[in-house]
Amino acid sequence: MTAALSGAWIALLPKAIARRDAILMEITTASNPPPRTPLLIVHRDLRNRQSIRLVHQWVLETFAALVRD
């Protein structure tokens, strides 16, 4: 996204994220990209740390908000 905002590249971004910045513009394509499943991977030794759990919760809430918007 940073490269796209700087004008250096084209980026494949979810519309919900791209809509947040007026500099970005949608480019129509002949077909849609395949659906992607987001993954959140945490090493088992770290998954119970409070800081990791907080980030995990933030990621879940952020994705849920993107789906609602």
Side-chain angles (χ1 to χ4, degrees), residues 33-46:
R36 297 169 311 274
T37 301
L39 300 174
L40 181 59
I41 301 170
V42 178
H43 193 280
R44 78 183 89 178
D45 293 342
L46 301 176

Side-chain angles (χ1 to χ4, degrees), residues 2-69:
T2 302
L5 287 171
S6 71
W9 296 100
I10 294 174
L12 181 62
L13 302 169
K15 286 183 179 183
I17 291 175
R19 284 188 203 122
R20 295 178 179 186
D21 201 305
I23 294 173
L24 298 174
M25 62 188 297
E26 184 176 350
I27 298 173
T28 352
T29 59
S31 62
N32 291 328
R36 297 169 311 274
T37 301
L39 300 174
L40 181 59
I41 301 170
V42 178
H43 193 280
R44 78 183 89 178
D45 293 342
L46 301 176
R47 68 179 170 205
N48 291 322
R49 285 193 180 180
Q50 178 66 16
S51 58
I52 298 296
R53 287 196 316 250
L54 288 171
V55 170
H56 186 143
Q57 187 61 37
W58 177 83
V59 169
L60 292 174
E61 290 170 3
T62 300
F63 272 87
L66 289 173
V67 172
R68 284 191 306 268
D69 290 346

